Amino acid sequence: MSAAGFAPETFAFLKSLKDNNAKDWFDAHKADYQRFVKKPSDLFRSEVARKLAELTGHEIVSKQFRINRDLRFSKDKTPYNTHIRMAFWPNGGAFEGRDAQPPSFFLSVEPDHIRFGTGCMAFSKPALGSYLQALETGKGEEIERLLDQLNSEGFDRSEPDLAKVPRGFPKDNQFADLARHKGLAVWKSIEDTDQLIGDAAPTFMVSAWNPTLPFWQWLADILKPVYAM
């Protein structure tokens, strides 16, 4: 197995788990999970974090999300996630679970494709204030230009969270649509999972994120007072 990337067996395991999403099956294949998912994920994350640090100029930390699903509020009671999800963000920024994230790089390794993104899926309350202030004080044009450029390169913008602009934000502001976001990220999918197999996988992944660096930097700049990055 590669020291830094995944193996074909990684995707075979995820596909089998999708077809056999039950505790008995998982327990019987736990050694495969450790060998083909957990161990290579740890090595991959470490190398990606190192390369992202070179790209961004910030020390990068990361996390991998649990394979076990949170079933408390879900009608779907299948016990396991059938993907590998991880996030990378600057050291010094607090990652607050589902509630808020500092400007981050996200990756979801699915059984049959790769989904990756950059941004903040949810702003903390102070971060949202900084974001809205930036839109009001002349920085909206820059972020709109960056988002349009990424769209031309195949990245999708996250959908607005609000039907109307938040209270206190001028309704006639030219960036009112951007003000409807409670988080802002861009996303792209790649069908070729072979790109994450082998030693070149971390380099490929960081290269895939590279076009989003100006967008990430815009968010990092306006949210620096909040996250002390």
Side-chain angles (χ1 to χ4, degrees):
M1 181 178 296
S2 167
F6 296 98
E9 290 87 348
T10 305
F11 296 94
F13 178 90
L14 294 176
K15 290 174 184 176
S16 295
L17 178 59
K18 188 174 182 178
D19 293 335
N20 303 277
N21 200 329
K23 187 176 185 304
D24 289 348
W25 185 91
F26 188 86
D27 287 346
H29 295 83
K30 202 162 189 177
D32 290 337
Y33 167 73
Q34 292 291 334
R35 181 180 180 189
F36 297 122
V37 177
K38 184 64 171 65
K39 184 176 180 180
S41 293
D42 289 343
L43 295 170
F44 175 82
R45 279 196 302 118
S46 177
E47 183 63 9
V48 167
R50 185 185 69 80
K51 289 181 176 294
L52 281 175
E54 295 176 354
L55 179 68
T56 64
H58 293 266
E59 181 183 356
I60 297 293
V61 293
S62 68
K63 68 179 290 184
Q64 182 172 329
F65 296 86
R66 287 163 50 87
I67 189 74
N68 300 82
R69 295 184 62 244
D70 184 351
L71 306 179
R72 291 174 297 172
F73 309 108
S74 176
K75 293 182 180 179
D76 178 3
K77 297 303 180 182
T78 51
Y80 303 104
N81 290 309
T82 59
H83 48 247
I84 306 167
R85 286 189 178 163
M86 52 188 72
F88 304 82
W89 68 97
N91 189 23
F95 196 100
E96 304 171 28
R98 295 180 180 179
D99 295 326
Q101 307 90 31
S104 303
F105 300 92
F106 302 100
L107 173 63
S108 183
V109 182
E110 306 284 343
D112 57 0
H113 69 280
I114 305 159
R115 182 77 169 165
F116 65 99
T118 301
C120 301
M121 289 190 289
F123 293 126
S124 66
K125 190 173 181 178
L128 180 58
S130 294
Y131 168 70
L132 294 175
Q133 184 180 30
L135 295 181
E136 280 195 79
T137 56
K139 296 184 179 179
E141 186 172 339
E142 181 182 1
I143 190 61
E144 189 69 74
R145 177 182 59 78
L146 291 172
L147 289 169
D148 287 346
Q149 175 62 35
L150 287 169
N151 181 250
S152 72
E153 297 185 36
F155 287 87
D156 299 320
R157 184 189 311 188
S158 56
E159 293 294 325
D161 303 282
L162 303 174
K164 300 179 180 179
V165 296
R167 183 178 300 176
F169 192 90
K171 294 180 181 180
D172 59 351
N173 186 286
Q174 68 182 109
F175 305 113
D177 283 345
L178 283 173
R180 294 164 51 211
H181 289 261
K182 296 172 70 175
L184 188 63
V186 294
W187 298 93
K188 190 174 186 178
S189 293
I190 295 175
E191 302 299 324
D192 185 6
T193 57
D194 286 351
Q195 298 286 0
L196 290 190
I197 294 175
D199 282 330
T203 299
F204 166 79
M205 199 62 248
V206 173
S207 295
W209 273 310
N210 187 61
T212 71
L213 184 60
F215 168 64
W216 179 89
Q217 191 63 61
W218 187 90
L219 288 172
D221 288 344
I222 68 165
L223 300 182
K224 187 174 182 179
V226 176
Y227 290 110
M229 292 184 294

